[in-house]
Amino acid sequence: QVQLVESGGGLVQAGGSLRLSCAASGRTFSMYAMGWFRQAPGKEREFVAAITWSSGYPDYADSVKGRFTISRDNAKNTVALQMNSLKPEDTAVYYCVAKYGSTWDYRPTSYDYWGQGTQVTVSS
């Protein structure tokens, strides 16, 4: 079992930055691919970013490429999402996710564990 707890959400003006963190329980954190999804009101959950268990080959949604950076620290059982140049359309609840195995996936149904979510609101 893996438990995920997000933090770092909040209200920020357009152009600003936020850093989301996700703390994971469990001794096998390094065996999970990790990622972030988001869901805006009235919309489906969408892939934001993911990273393999070895921190290689991160990938991003086209809408956040060049602005967001995902990273992980297997020694601390944490994964982070640095979000820069935020836009109002980035407003959503952001979820930390974990998938057992070495590779990530764009599909939300592929992830075994989800955090409770943290709200990010970007004002114009």
Side-chain angles (χ1 to χ4, degrees):
Q1 289 287 332
V2 174
Q3 291 187 326
L4 306 172
V5 179
E6 304 99 333
S7 61
L11 173 64
V12 65
Q13 289 189 334
S17 298
L18 280 174
R19 183 177 178 86
L20 304 183
S21 295
C22 175
S25 65
R27 293 176 293 178
T28 59
F29 175 76
S30 62
M31 298 177 70
Y32 288 79
M34 303 295 295
W36 293 89
F37 280 74
R38 67 186 181 186
Q39 187 168 22
K43 295 187 177 181
E44 294 185 351
R45 289 186 181 183
E46 65 172 350
F47 173 83
V48 176
I51 191 166
T52 61
W53 59 9
S54 63
S55 296
Y57 307 106
D59 201 16
Y60 303 90
D62 288 341
S63 59
V64 307
K65 278 182 181 177
R67 301 187 297 121
F68 290 12
T69 303
I70 188 171
S71 60
R72 67 185 294 165
D73 185 335
N74 287 344
K76 296 182 178 179
N77 283 13
T78 59
V79 62
L81 185 69
Q82 178 66 42
M83 305 186 295
N84 298 328
S85 302
L86 283 161
K87 304 176 181 180
E89 51 263 43
D90 294 318
T91 295
V93 177
Y94 284 70
Y95 297 91
C96 177
V97 296
K99 170 184 171 289
Y100 186 77
S102 61
T103 59
W104 44 259
D105 197 296
Y106 296 116
R107 299 168 296 179
T109 54
S110 295
Y111 290 84
D112 306 299
Y113 302 99
W114 290 71
Q116 81 286 355
T118 185
Q119 177 70 47
V120 171
T121 303
V122 184
S123 63
S124 57

